[in-house]
Amino acid sequence: MTTKIKKLVFIVAAFCFFSQAHAQNDHIALERINAEEFRVRSTNGIPFTVVLENSNNNGQYQLASNTELTFKFDDVTRQSMIRIVFDRAAYQTMEDKIILQYRSDVEWIKSQLDITDDQSKLFPTRPIFDDRSLEALKSKVFQYTTTSTKENAFNKWIERVNYSYGAVLFLRELYAASNGENNPQSRNFESINVYEALRM
């Protein structure tokens, strides 16, 4: 996989494992910088929109991958709230990268297992499955593993398709939660009281 895709794999796979002392949910952390400023940073590199409300500086701020936002304490009150939004453009960009990688992996396994273009119709164009259809696909592809070398390639492809499948599900769940759907990601989109988060 390319360096960019490996980075994306790390972001999605590690999203729920954080040890930051000041993390307020699975995706952002609020931290004091000094007596005058605090920052909001992404704990996993996913680009969110940060919404600051009930403050002297209300607005929507783009929190890009591997960046942070800085705010002044003078701009917030005891009622100031911060929440995140996973907007459609960010969601689509990340999903498109996963889909492109999935298609690249399909071409790779076709070449490794000598699957012709006519036979390649067994592969969906997007890694959108339920568990049953994913296992059915794996079973069909396994039929082309006629040597130990091909079986090794098949096992590597399994890891890749499992990632694509899981990553797309995760991003869709994240986007749905950002738009109000009740699911395991919902709590990450609840408003955070700035004063309470920073124990002011």
Side-chain angles (χ1 to χ4, degrees):
M1 289 185 286
T2 66
T3 300
K4 289 184 178 179
I5 293 300
K6 286 181 179 178
K7 181 179 178 182
L8 185 60
V9 171
F10 173 79
I11 288 171
V12 177
F15 81 97
C16 62
F17 301 100
F18 305 105
S19 59
Q20 291 88 349
H22 301 288
Q24 273 66 51
N25 60 38
D26 289 343
H27 305 298
I28 62 167
L30 278 66
E31 301 170 334
R32 286 175 178 266
I33 299 175
N34 51 45
E36 298 179 349
E37 297 177 317
F38 68 95
R39 64 182 163 225
V40 179
R41 64 179 178 81
S42 171
T43 58
N44 56 15
I46 295 176
F48 291 104
T49 299
V50 172
V51 182
L52 179 61
E53 300 170 312
N54 302 329
S55 75
N56 300 321
N57 194 23
N58 287 352
Q60 298 186 5
Y61 304 87
Q62 298 303 312
L63 182 61
S65 300
N66 301 318
T67 63
E68 60 186 41
L69 298 170
T70 301
F71 298 95
K72 295 185 179 299
F73 284 121
D74 286 346
D75 289 332
V76 299
T77 69
R78 291 190 179 276
Q79 288 73 44
S80 294
M81 308 292 283
I82 276 180
R83 59 186 174 87
I84 57 174
V85 174
F86 189 38
D87 65 42
R88 184 166 185 81
Y91 157 68
Q92 199 67 63
T93 296
M94 294 188 74
E95 186 180 71
D96 286 348
K97 288 180 180 179
I98 295 167
I99 291 171
L100 286 174
Q101 182 61 49
Y102 163 79
R103 290 173 179 170
S104 175
D105 293 337
V106 166
E107 292 303 313
W108 177 81
I109 195 62
K110 282 170 55 182
S111 67
Q112 295 297 309
L113 303 187
D114 300 319
I115 299 174
T116 66
D117 287 339
D118 288 340
Q119 296 166 328
S120 68
K121 293 178 181 178
L122 63 92
F123 295 99
T125 57
R126 298 160 64 88
I128 300 169
F129 314 96
D130 55 29
D131 290 344
R132 186 174 180 178
S133 62
L134 178 59
E135 292 307 312
L137 173 62
K138 293 176 184 177
S139 179
K140 291 176 182 177
V141 176
F142 183 75
Q143 295 175 14
Y144 294 88
T145 58
T146 54
T147 67
S148 59
T149 299
K150 288 183 177 182
E151 186 169 348
N152 288 335
F154 171 80
N155 289 332
K156 291 179 181 179
W157 175 76
I158 286 294
E159 293 180 4
R160 298 178 185 185
V161 76
N162 282 343
Y163 160 71
S164 297
Y165 166 63
V168 167
L169 284 182
F170 166 66
L171 290 178
R172 291 189 166 203
E173 187 175 79
L174 200 66
Y175 182 66
S178 180
N179 283 278
E181 180 179 300
N182 186 21
N183 67 38
Q185 286 292 324
S186 298
R187 65 181 181 83
N188 293 307
F189 294 91
E190 296 174 355
S191 295
I192 300 167
N193 182 283
V194 175
Y195 263 59
E196 292 179 1
L198 297 173
R199 299 177 179 87
M200 295 170 64

